[in-house]
Amino acid sequence: EYISTGELAELMGVDVSEVISTLFNAGMIVSINQRLDADTIQFVADEFGYEVEFITDYNELEIEIPEDRPEDLQPRAPIVTVMGHVDHGKTSLLDYIRNTNVVAGEAGGITQHIGAYHVELPDGRHITFLDTPGHEAFTAMRARGAKVTDIVILVVAADDGVMPQTIEAINHAKAAGVPIVVAITKIDKPEANPQRVMQQLAENGVLVEQYGGQVQCALVSAKTGEGIDDLLEKVLLEAELHELKANPDRPAVGTIIESRVEKGRGNVATVLVQNGTLRVGDPFVAGVTSGRVRAMFDERGNRVEVAGPTIPVLVLGFDELPEVGDQFVVVPDEKEARAIAQKRQQIRREQMLRKQRRISLDEISRRMAQGDRLKELNLIIKGDVAGSVEALSDALLKLSTDEVAVSIIHSGVGAITESDVMLASASNAIIVGFQVRPTSSARQLAEREHVDIRLYSVIYQAIEDVRDALEGLLSPEK
Ligand code: GDP
């Protein structure tokens, strides 16, 4: 037994009386609050043209995490992800910061990449960096429901300027609502032209301070180290604006950043503690697995006994390998941890309805026809040439009505990629392709993630379909 008749109707965006009468016609009498079994849900979903999807969001099941009282909250370090075009210097920047800001007393061990690292600046302030640069990992986590990053450092090479992946990174950060701090890198190079980069950024909707905007921007070199203190200062300033807080005096809650099987150690995973304090011996649940913290290590291989908010630690003691993006929660005892994990596994096996369906154009049309309220339609536009992308984007934006705001969260020239699909999945967007096709990996991912990709070779047809959908007139694709 899963959700109630009323909840099912709400999930599908139909009137509950319709669901009740459909079941009545099939010989079943149900009430609004009655919980329905899997077969009944399947039957109703079929009748209303819905697919029953597999739940992947088991993180929320069986555990309720209590809210903190405001008086228990203390300022915490920001968690930062570095994004930007390939070869623009993301890794070099991360390495430079890591190597020049050693936490005192912890030097010695060889640095291991555990997926995140934490630095203490000379003045005692802290920053945590996620060590997997790029927007792919960032958006994959977000699609899994994990929100880890507070601030994005957008890296743009001063000698190369804004490139396609720079724009992707901007749009992924914006779609997630995460503030950006710009790092214009490689300023030591003779051909560096930071002014041009700032102008290109402005053209792409990122107005840096030097250009009269709100976005902080530092000029840096990972080769000479110039400007990096300034960059970190700006990151901390941005963090202050957002008053990041956590409660160190509670059982830990965090996210799995990496996981692997290690010889002699078994299942290990990096946990980024986001709230509370994690201690050796703590029993925990992580996704559909559980365990007890047998040992913890920092990224220099030193054993640690406790890890507070924003500290990443390599944890030993998982019964099974957790998945990246899984939520990690400390619970009162190991038996309970195991019971919760088993329950989650069982539920996952039984395949429950997912809470939120990904949107499709057909579904929008159906909902609009029923007079349902849809506030926004997120689109990703890909086309064969810049001119057609622009023309299509302009025309689609004009379809916004008082009720539905059409918003284009990303657009670009070229095939529809996995990155586009992940962004669509994380932002509940529809992808519109004009004279382009998805790559085969993107197509597979779209199927798994239930992302609607609409392909057109005539601009007018694309516009008409979206307009029809918004008016509730689109006839479903077969
Ligand atoms: P990523 O793909 O964005 O991670 O870029 P990398 O950090 O791997 O850097 C790409 C190349 O640019 C490498 O050859 C780096 O040595 C070089 N590079 C990175 N940062 C700088 C810099 O500030 N100055 C100079 N001169 N070269 C840099």
Side-chain angles (χ1 to χ4, degrees), residues 85-92 185-186 188-189 221-223:
H85 196 72
V86 64
D87 280 346
H88 275 197
K90 299 180 291 295
T91 312
S92 306
T185 51
K186 308 197 190 185
D188 58 282
K189 287 194 152 188
S221 164
K223 198 171 166 191

Side-chain angles (χ1 to χ4, degrees), residues 388-402:
S388 52
V389 172
E390 222 166 277
L392 185 56
S393 302
D394 285 349
L396 290 173
L397 279 175
K398 287 202 187 104
L399 297 179
S400 287
T401 61
D402 288 346

